[in-house]
Amino acid sequence: MLQDMLGNLWPKMAETSWQPSALICSALVVSGWGYFLYIGVIDPNGGVNILWPLFGIANQMLAAIALSVATGILIKSGKLKYAWVTGAPLLWLVIITSTASWQKLTSSDTRIGFFAGANDLAEKLATGVLPPEKAAIAPQLIFNMHLDGYITMIFASLLWLIVLDMLRISARFFNR
Amino acid sequence: MTKLKPILIWSVIAIIGASAISGIALNRGEHINALWFIAAALCVYAIGFRFYSAWIAATVLAVDASRATPAERLDNGHDFTPTNRWVVFGHHFAAIAGPGPLVGPTLAAQFGYLPGTLWILFGSVLGGCVQDMVTLFFSTRRDARSLGQMARDELGLIGGTAALIATFAIMIILIAVLGLVVVNAMKHSPWATFTVAATIPIAIIVGLYMRYWRPGNILEASALGVVLLLLAVGGGGFVDHHAVLRVWFDHEGLTLAWWVMAYGFAAAILPVWLLLAPRDYLSTYMKLGTICLLAFAIILLQPQVKMPALTPFIDGTGPIFGGQLFPFVFITIACGAISGFHSLVSSGTTPKLLANERDIAMIGYGGMLLESFVAMMAMVAASVLEPGVYFAINSSAGIVGKEAADAVAKISSWGFPVTVEQMHALAQEMGETTFVCQNRWRAVLSCGYGEYFW
């Protein structure tokens, strides 16, 4: 898939039979998910609890992307009156993912907000209330929570870009 | 007169479904039979499939059975091949059904059974199934192009590029989290680790068998694979009790994570027929088998649902994860109701195999219905536990306390009585019967992930 994408920039990369490209792309992809797997595994709370909301948000956003592409195609092919079939679930997904991202980013509850959680942990680390084995991995955890927060932010902005662009293109067809 | 019979049958199905749902939704205080959940699900799915998916196919998408599919036009015997619709259904289902539909409902049961159940039912019929189906259709009409590429072609430069980047980045996160679930399932569980490890040589044997030893003999190869798989699951139990072998398969999470990464890289660069394709094929059998077993178990045992419809934790103070009912129930249960991951499959391998547009509703909509059914059973499984026990198993130690007595006192104070003896009894049972099921469950769960790591 990465090969496909890079093929947009440099056509030779898209040739799956070209060995160096296949090797480099596989290595890049594996190190990408490998990194997140690694930070999930070293998390003392099991990792799933922190990463699952990110997983859910990301998964629902991908569904929203698929639905906006579908809604866009329906409208472009002149089927505006049926656009609600994909448009209604899309609207719902945009609402829930935006709310969830907003809460994950701004909530002051340390169990919900990524940044609140990171600050809380940083404070505990600074005041020295953490037992030594937890203090050792705390910097990594703080970094991870920040990273999760920024990723959520990027995903949310990308989703809005896509939805708005879809609406812009659809509006053009609608006016015609 | 000939039209009367179907009308009658569908009215009966609608009435059963409606009464099952209202029974589930309005019931307070008493325990209800888990069979109602199955009945409600089956009726809703049947109606959704028969009417909504047929209407979408005929009216919204205008599916054309006489139109050649990419599999027929671009048939190269390699990745584009027209394939029997049941085989395509199997492939599609195996690829979309990951650990997601099991983990999500288990976590979301902290809100009570009702929010999750309703979201699984209606989210899938009105959202998730529609997404899978229309993506499959649009990709089929566009030479089986991927979702990212379709977005790039159909939306503007900005939206299209954003979609390409987002799709890729999201995929990375999804694979990582799925990998994490697998690693957690194998952590310090020699049984699960052995079974998962054994699927790799089994897949290679089946792959070689189909390619060199007896090409074309799919039936023999799958029989061989299934027998070897069952042996591997059984063998895991033996390894688990064996003093020496046990140590070999008992690992820390981090060690396993490195192995999973190494496997992912190997699977990506080895030829597909050697490892990925046969493994994907075998895991379909494992998944379908597990689902049938679960459904039969619920029908035979008819357990009582003990979880209340709603718990006080809808205000966001839940012990399993923080966050209010809205929006977090909809985020937590992703794969069982609507899952973006599926759109990658629907615009990936499936349209390259599809032999006729007519089957789009069955594969796209129907495949997701089956997955939703899996999520429903996970929900039932979490709800038939005594709520106190459920919270004791799933709560994070930071909230309820590390000592058994502390945890029990805390959970009981929420109004879900549980005693230390109960937990000990459960732990005992876990050591014998439940543990066996759980291990087997974990092993089966872990078997299906090979196909995601590329």
Side-chain angles (χ1 to χ4, degrees), chain A residues 8 23 33-34 36-38 41 46 48 52 56 58-60 62-63 73 76 79 82 92 96 103 111 162 165 169, chain B residues 59-60 119 131 138 142 154 156 159 163-164 170 176 180 184 253-254 261 318 322 328 330-332 338-341:
Chain A
N8 282 343
L23 279 178
W33 60 255
F36 284 96
L37 176 59
Y38 172 75
V41 169
V48 168
W52 194 260
N59 201 1
Q60 307 294 54
L62 187 55
I73 296 178
K76 278 169 79 176
K79 290 180 176 161
Y82 297 128
W92 178 241
I96 56 169
Q103 291 190 4
R111 295 179 59 219
I162 295 164
D165 201 38
I169 300 227
Chain B
T59 315
V60 180
W119 170 233
Q131 176 213 242
F138 287 133
R142 282 164 185 72
E154 300 291 335
L164 265 183
I170 288 173
L180 184 61
N184 280 343
L254 198 56
M261 284 181 234
F328 285 101
F330 304 106
I331 293 296
T332 311
I338 181 163
S339 167
F341 189 74

Side-chain angles (χ1 to χ4, degrees), chain A residues 1-2 4-5 8 22-23 26-30 32-38 40-42 45-49 51-74 76-77 79 82 84-86 89 92-93 95-97 99-100 103-104 109 111-112 134 151 155 158-159 161-162 165-166 168-169, chain B residues 52 55-56 59-61 100 103-104 107 119 126-127 130-131 134-135 138 142 147 149 151 154-156 158-160 162-164 166-180 183-184 253-254 257 260-261 264-265 268-269 317-323 326-328 330-335 338-341 343-344 396 399 453:
Chain A
M1 195 164 136
L2 180 64
D4 245 5
M5 199 165 93
N8 282 343
L23 279 178
S26 303
L28 278 177
V29 171
V30 171
W33 60 255
Y35 176 71
F36 284 96
L37 176 59
Y38 172 75
V41 169
I42 61 161
N45 301 325
V48 168
N49 300 23
L51 279 177
W52 194 260
L54 186 65
F55 172 82
I57 292 174
N59 201 1
Q60 307 294 54
M61 281 186 177
L62 187 55
I65 294 174
L67 285 170
S68 37
V69 172
T71 312
I73 296 178
L74 278 180
K76 278 169 79 176
S77 52
K79 290 180 176 161
Y82 297 128
W84 59 265
V85 171
T86 51
W92 178 241
L93 285 182
I95 293 174
I96 56 169
T97 51
T99 323
Q103 291 190 4
K104 290 305 272 185
D109 184 336
R111 295 179 59 219
I112 302 176
K134 279 197 176 172
I151 292 176
F155 281 169
L158 285 175
L159 176 65
L161 261 181
I162 295 164
D165 201 38
M166 183 274 287
R168 182 180 65 91
I169 300 227
Chain B
Y52 197 42
W55 177 76
I56 292 175
T59 315
V60 180
L61 302 177
V103 181
L107 297 178
W119 170 233
L126 300 176
V130 176
Q131 176 213 242
V134 297
T135 312
F138 287 133
R142 282 164 185 72
L147 175 69
Q149 206 57 50
E154 300 291 335
L155 302 179
I158 302 170
L164 265 183
T167 316
F168 182 70
I170 288 173
M171 193 190 70
I172 296 275
I173 301 282
L174 298 189
I175 295 177
V177 177
L178 296 181
L180 184 61
V183 168
N184 280 343
L254 198 56
V260 169
M261 284 181 234
F265 186 68
I269 55 175
T317 56
I320 296 171
F321 60 95
F326 177 87
F328 285 101
F330 304 106
I331 293 296
T332 311
I333 303 185
C335 303
I338 181 163
S339 167
F341 189 74
S343 64
L344 299 180
S396 44
I399 303 284
F453 295 126

Side-chain angles (χ1 to χ4, degrees), chain B residues 152-336:
Chain B
R152 183 71 193 75
D153 299 342
E154 300 291 335
L155 302 179
L157 181 67
I158 302 170
T161 312
L164 265 183
I165 297 172
T167 316
F168 182 70
I170 288 173
M171 193 190 70
I172 296 275
I173 301 282
L174 298 189
I175 295 177
V177 177
L178 296 181
L180 184 61
V181 175
V182 179
V183 168
N184 280 343
M186 294 196 293
K187 193 158 68 185
H188 294 302
S189 167
W191 191 327
T193 311
F194 174 80
T195 312
V196 173
T199 57
I200 298 171
I202 293 176
I204 293 180
I205 292 173
V206 173
L208 288 172
Y209 193 93
M210 288 208 271
R211 179 109 174 168
Y212 292 118
W213 301 336
R214 299 286 299 261
N217 250 320
I218 296 180
L219 205 65
E220 275 180 35
S222 12
L224 175 75
V226 170
V227 170
L228 286 176
L229 264 185
L230 291 176
L231 281 179
V233 176
F238 173 73
V239 169
D240 201 17
H241 293 292
H242 196 285
V244 183
L245 286 175
R246 203 189 145 78
V247 186
W248 293 2
F249 293 99
D250 188 356
H251 292 295
E252 289 294 332
L254 198 56
T255 322
L256 291 168
W258 290 115
W259 279 110
V260 169
M261 284 181 234
Y263 167 76
F265 186 68
I269 55 175
L270 286 177
V272 177
W273 59 263
L274 181 64
L275 182 54
L276 274 180
R279 197 156 188 267
D280 165 50
Y281 193 66
L282 290 175
S283 67
T284 310
Y285 286 108
M286 287 293 266
K287 283 171 188 163
L288 288 175
T290 318
I291 294 165
C292 296
L293 256 171
L294 260 179
F296 274 120
I298 292 177
I299 291 170
L300 281 179
L301 299 174
Q302 306 202 357
Q304 298 283 311
V305 170
K306 301 203 178 84
M307 182 67 73
L310 290 171
T311 65
F313 303 127
I314 49 178
D315 61 358
T317 56
I320 296 171
F321 60 95
Q324 292 173 348
L325 179 63
F326 177 87
F328 285 101
V329 75
F330 304 106
I331 293 296
T332 311
I333 303 185
C335 303

